[in-house]
Amino acid sequence: MAKPTQYLLIGSIEFYSGKSGTILGIAHQLSQKGLAVAYAKLMGTCLTEQDDTPQDQDVQCLQEALQLSDDQVRSPLVLLDDKTLEKRFRGEDTTDYTQLLTRYLEGLTAEVVLIEGPSTLAEGSLFGLSMQQLSKGLGTSVVVVARYSSFAIIDSLLKARMVLGDALLGIVLNDVPEDHLETLTDTVKPFLENQGIAVLGILPQSRLLRSVSVREIARQLKAEVLCRPDRLDLMVETLSIGAMNVNSALEYFRKGENKAVVTGGDRTDLQLAALETSTSCLILTGQMPPQSLIISRAEDLEIPILSVDYDTLKTVEIVDQSFGKVRLHEQIKVDCIQDLMEKYFDVDRLLEKLNKSSN
């Protein structure tokens, strides 16, 4: 007799906490244990256009990273774009999505189905798809991922326990600074365990995961790549703005590693200074092409140069928003997440608790 499929809902208490990365790590470990895994993302939030149809990038990336077939993946039941939300507000969409859940998940060929749920306790309520509604509707257990910022996050985790009750299987504390790891492990974890909250993993902060590729920056800025398009997979960890005299700039640039430097297309002195330090790309504003010597030097040093139509302020704003939002487009990040989860996530305890909750 075939073993029944187990469902596990992965949610979070704030946006960009690392749900997709956690799912990637769990799925990888379960696969290594010989378990067939499937993935479903209920609400599409990372939208892109493909053949004039909105697609969720996380679904595409996870399917590729985990090498899942089409019958092991479900695209979002609801796309959380403005058009969809407005239809719901106006009463044009009266669909009872809770009634669609069982049919939506039918046919997934797996022993464990990992369901990517809401980013907050409230998200999805408009469609009857909040974390609490989903756990009750599907009868599934929940793992909550929380990006650690301070001890104040504990209140939010206690609130999640109150809302979800026994459906809360455990939590993952993500992106923890190194100087907080010992305190969380020795003090906070025992406290949460005593409150009935199983701590399944405490993942240390990673500079790599908080970084963003030059390719992604170019995409978000709609930039023209002036040289070294073959080096767009370089990772950017910090952002620097070149707007001072060249002597001050050199000292300033030397402080940043693997950085993107935003400066005017006419500032040849600052561009040269940036190229001589640890720079992953130059971003030139002002719609002014750089001098040929800059292009030549960047070619030699294998540093891409991007040209953008935005002014410096808008350029910095767009790039700055990219940091810390871990999207799974780069293989180097996929490898890093899998390595962190193998070291710091207790998959055996997860399986033990999941099996108990299914009985």
Side-chain angles (χ1 to χ4, degrees):
M1 181 174 168
K3 189 176 180 181
T5 300
Q6 294 178 303
Y7 296 101
L8 179 62
L9 182 66
I10 313 292
S12 58
I13 51 179
E14 62 181 1
F15 293 96
Y16 303 114
S17 293
K19 293 194 310 294
S20 298
T22 300
I23 290 170
L24 176 67
I26 292 174
H28 178 67
Q29 290 188 71
L30 293 179
S31 296
Q32 286 189 320
K33 289 182 174 292
L35 295 171
V37 176
Y39 167 68
K41 185 174 184 181
L42 287 169
M43 290 174 285
T45 53
C46 183
L47 305 181
T48 183
E49 291 287 332
Q50 185 171 312
D51 299 328
D52 296 323
T53 303
Q55 303 286 337
D56 190 285
Q57 291 178 326
D58 285 343
V59 174
Q60 296 171 320
C61 291
L62 271 164
Q63 181 175 8
E64 182 178 334
L66 295 170
Q67 298 182 333
L68 300 177
S69 63
D70 288 342
D71 58 359
Q72 293 175 300
V73 176
R74 286 290 180 273
S75 295
L77 186 62
V78 179
L79 297 176
L80 298 186
D81 55 2
D82 289 344
K83 185 177 179 180
T84 303
L85 294 172
E86 189 172 346
K87 280 185 177 180
R88 196 70 169 179
F89 299 149
R90 292 178 181 274
E92 296 171 12
D93 175 13
T94 58
T95 305
D96 185 346
Y97 287 95
T98 57
Q99 294 295 317
L100 298 179
L101 284 174
T102 303
R103 194 180 350 151
Y104 167 74
L105 294 171
E106 279 179 356
L108 283 171
T109 55
E111 293 166 89
V112 181
V113 176
L114 300 173
I115 305 169
E116 184 165 349
S119 296
T120 69
L121 291 173
E123 187 182 47
S125 298
L126 182 64
F127 301 94
L129 299 174
S130 72
M131 217 179 308
Q132 183 183 36
Q133 290 167 319
L134 286 169
S135 65
K136 288 183 177 179
L138 291 171
T140 184
S141 298
V142 184
V143 169
V144 167
V145 183
R147 183 184 293 277
Y148 179 81
S149 53
S150 69
F151 290 140
I153 198 73
I154 306 306
D155 279 338
S156 298
L157 293 172
L158 293 174
K159 177 66 174 178
R161 178 73 171 93
M162 290 171 58
V163 171
L164 298 171
D166 292 338
L168 181 60
L169 198 70
I171 66 159
V172 178
L173 290 170
N174 191 27
D175 199 29
V176 179
E178 188 175 344
D179 57 351
H180 283 230
L181 282 171
E182 185 176 347
T183 301
L184 286 181
T185 302
D186 296 344
T187 305
V188 174
K189 180 179 178 179
F191 170 78
L192 290 173
E193 296 276 356
N194 286 334
Q195 300 298 314
I197 301 174
V199 181
L200 300 173
I202 300 177
L203 309 184
Q205 198 171 77
S206 165
R207 289 174 61 185
L208 174 59
L209 290 182
R210 295 183 66 85
S211 66
V212 60
S213 69
V214 177
R215 187 182 310 280
E216 180 66 11
I217 288 175
R219 186 187 70 82
Q220 296 205 22
L221 290 172
K222 300 179 177 63
E224 179 185 0
V225 181
L226 301 181
C227 71
R228 298 315 300 242
D230 58 318
R231 298 292 284 162
L232 298 183
D233 289 330
L234 289 172
M235 304 304 292
V236 176
E237 296 180 5
T238 59
L239 179 64
S240 299
I241 305 169
M244 66 285 285
N245 67 62
V246 69
N247 290 329
S248 299
L250 264 174
E251 183 177 351
Y252 172 56
F253 290 154
R254 284 175 181 144
K255 294 177 181 178
E257 292 185 8
N258 304 321
K259 61 186 175 295
V261 175
V262 179
T263 190
D266 59 339
R267 293 301 305 268
T268 303
D269 53 345
L270 295 181
Q271 294 161 24
L272 281 172
L275 290 173
E276 299 306 323
T277 59
S278 177
T279 297
S280 296
C281 73
L282 277 180
I283 304 173
L284 307 184
T285 62
Q287 298 180 310
M288 185 174 294
Q291 293 186 18
S292 58
L293 69 95
I294 296 296
I295 295 288
S296 177
R297 187 61 178 147
E299 289 278 5
D300 291 342
L301 295 171
E302 302 185 359
I303 298 174
I305 298 179
L306 311 181
S307 176
V308 300
D309 293 335
Y310 301 113
D311 60 24
T312 298
L313 184 62
K314 183 63 176 177
T315 299
V316 169
E317 179 185 342
I318 292 172
V319 177
D320 198 46
Q321 289 176 351
S322 301
F323 289 107
K325 298 177 182 178
V326 180
R327 298 300 187 192
L328 305 176
H329 308 285
E330 299 95 8
Q331 183 62 41
I332 191 172
K333 286 190 176 182
V334 171
D335 295 340
C336 181
I337 289 169
Q338 291 176 344
D339 183 59
L340 282 173
M341 288 289 286
E342 285 182 5
K343 289 180 180 176
Y344 300 102
F345 181 81
D346 193 342
V347 71
D348 291 325
R349 189 180 183 195
L350 170 72
L351 282 172
E352 180 185 345
K353 294 179 73 64
L354 188 59
N355 288 329
K356 283 183 179 178
S357 68
S358 301
N359 295 331

